[in-house]
Amino acid sequence: TVWAFAAAGVVEKTLFGAIAGAAMNRIGDFNPQNLANTVWAFATAGVVAEALFGTIAGRAVNRVDDFKPQEMANTVWAFATARVAAETLFQAIAGAAVNRIGDFNPQ
């Protein structure tokens, strides 16, 4: 839902806030695509949700080996765009990317 609103350029802050809270409560159910899409949506919409980003960063570090190259790229882009510091996450993704550099396509 949040991805669709962000993609459409519609920022409904009440909805984004509700989704942030629900996502933090259910973060254990999120797969890498869910994690990447969620931070992408918040960053694209320009909605500040530092607690959510922190929760997602923690979960993503533990799942980084399960991320596809596009999910890695989207996650790093989202954190950079939202200006949320996540050094441990960036280091984990950088390490995983180096190990799987052949899986990335030139975009």
Side-chain angles (χ1 to χ4, degrees):
T1 302
V2 74
W3 181 91
F5 274 82
V10 176
V11 180
E12 173 50 55
K13 291 193 181 204
T14 303
L15 174 64
F16 276 79
I19 289 174
M24 287 189 296
N25 290 331
R26 296 187 55 201
I27 203 69
D29 297 335
F30 279 41
N31 65 34
Q33 183 178 1
N34 301 145
L35 297 168
N37 286 353
T38 301
V39 291
W40 178 91
F42 277 80
T44 297
V47 176
V48 176
E50 287 189 32
L52 174 63
F53 273 67
T55 300
I56 286 177
R59 178 73 172 154
V61 165
N62 294 327
R63 300 281 315 266
V64 72
D65 290 333
D66 298 328
F67 276 62
K68 294 176 184 170
Q70 188 65 53
E71 294 160 351
M72 290 183 207
N74 289 353
T75 300
V76 170
W77 176 89
F79 275 81
T81 298
R83 299 179 192 248
V84 175
E87 184 175 341
T88 302
L89 174 62
F90 277 41
Q91 289 174 347
I93 288 176
V98 166
N99 292 335
R100 296 176 42 209
I101 199 72
D103 295 341
F104 285 79
N105 62 36
Q107 343 184 24

